[in-house]
Amino acid sequence: MARMSNAKPKTKIQRQKTEQILTAALEVFALHGSSGASINMIAKTAGLTTPNLLYYFESKDAIRKELLSRTLQLWMAPLSMVNPQGDPVEEICAYIKRKLEISKNFPRESKFFANEILSGLPQSRSEIFGPLKELFNAKVQVFEDWIEDGRVSKVDPHHLLFSIWATTQHYADFDVQIEEIAPAKLQDRYAEAESFLLEMYKKLLTV
């Protein structure tokens, strides 16, 4: 079976099929993790035969890597928008809002990425953590400058970011847990979480 070449621009149908496969793979990976998924499961979910799918992607890992690349861009975008010249508390609160929006609008991507992190990211750790580490360190330096200038409370920037990631992603990654233990909070969880988290972090960060 000849595979689709990346040397030529994709046709409209090829682009549609590629997105169809990636959407199906995201659903399968989010439910089963990449280790529990199979190329046959992805093909079935996409409504394609396995040979047809393999025309577009040579393997399950090729699909996984493409999804990781896209998800990483989605993950990093809100953090990259933090403006060193802005008001520190307002910038961090805006970042929290953007992270909640990602969790709300892209829950499968969030679960997929979480599953990949839990798996230890075999075969692609440097590809993922290299760009993320560079951005992370740059923003930690921004936070440290704000602290040194007395514009924000003295908090550990590393743990500040870790806590923001944990609190915002929780609402997508652990929606089943919320549904079981606090079903009344499920429907409006993002709006309520935003109010709660912004108040909490403003109190933490305001000098």
Side-chain angles (χ1 to χ4, degrees):
M1 173 67 68
R3 298 187 185 100
M4 185 178 63
S5 172
N6 290 324
K8 298 179 181 179
K10 295 178 181 178
T11 66
K12 181 179 180 181
I13 292 177
Q14 288 172 336
R15 292 195 299 271
Q16 290 174 341
K17 290 292 184 182
T18 297
E19 294 306 315
Q20 183 178 336
I21 292 167
L22 290 173
T23 298
L26 184 60
E27 181 178 339
V28 173
F29 287 154
L31 287 173
H32 303 285
S34 58
S35 62
S38 71
I39 200 75
N40 291 333
M41 292 167 64
I42 297 170
K44 182 178 180 180
T45 304
L48 301 171
T49 64
T50 299
N52 192 202
L53 182 151
L54 292 173
Y55 174 74
Y56 293 91
F57 291 95
E58 64 181 11
S59 65
K60 181 182 76 172
D61 194 54
I63 298 173
R64 170 184 166 274
K65 286 182 177 179
E66 177 62 23
L67 283 175
L68 274 173
S69 176
R70 292 185 178 202
T71 305
L72 181 63
Q73 294 177 33
L74 184 69
W75 175 282
M76 292 173 60
L79 184 57
S80 66
M81 294 169 66
V82 172
N83 182 6
Q85 308 305 319
D87 177 82
V89 176
E90 290 181 3
E91 288 297 321
I92 293 171
C93 286
Y95 174 55
I96 292 168
K97 289 182 180 180
R98 292 193 294 269
K99 282 291 293 169
L100 282 171
E101 288 175 0
I102 293 293
S103 291
K104 180 180 180 180
N105 296 328
F106 301 94
R108 291 181 302 176
E109 286 85 347
S110 183
K111 289 180 180 179
F112 164 68
F113 197 70
N115 285 335
E116 288 297 311
I117 295 293
L118 289 172
S119 74
L121 285 171
Q123 304 174 348
S124 53
R125 182 174 288 196
S126 61
E127 295 175 30
I128 295 300
F129 287 117
L132 182 57
K133 184 177 181 180
E134 182 178 352
L135 177 63
F136 178 84
N137 287 339
K139 295 308 177 181
V140 164
Q141 184 60 58
V142 169
F143 294 171
E144 288 178 342
D145 291 343
W146 284 342
I147 292 169
E148 185 176 348
D149 292 342
R151 301 177 63 198
V152 69
S153 297
K154 293 182 178 180
V155 297
D156 186 315
H158 302 80
H159 290 295
L160 175 62
L161 282 171
F162 294 155
S163 70
I164 292 173
W165 293 352
T167 52
T168 55
Q169 291 157 222
H170 175 88
Y171 296 96
D173 298 346
F174 291 89
D175 58 338
V176 173
Q177 177 174 270
I178 297 172
E179 183 177 13
E180 288 299 318
I181 65 175
K185 293 294 180 180
L186 185 66
Q187 183 174 357
D188 297 324
R189 64 190 184 278
Y190 290 104
E192 292 183 4
E194 180 177 310
S195 296
F196 177 83
L197 292 175
L198 293 184
E199 181 179 359
M200 180 178 72
Y201 279 104
K202 283 179 180 178
K203 289 180 179 178
L204 173 68
L205 297 168
T206 300
V207 178

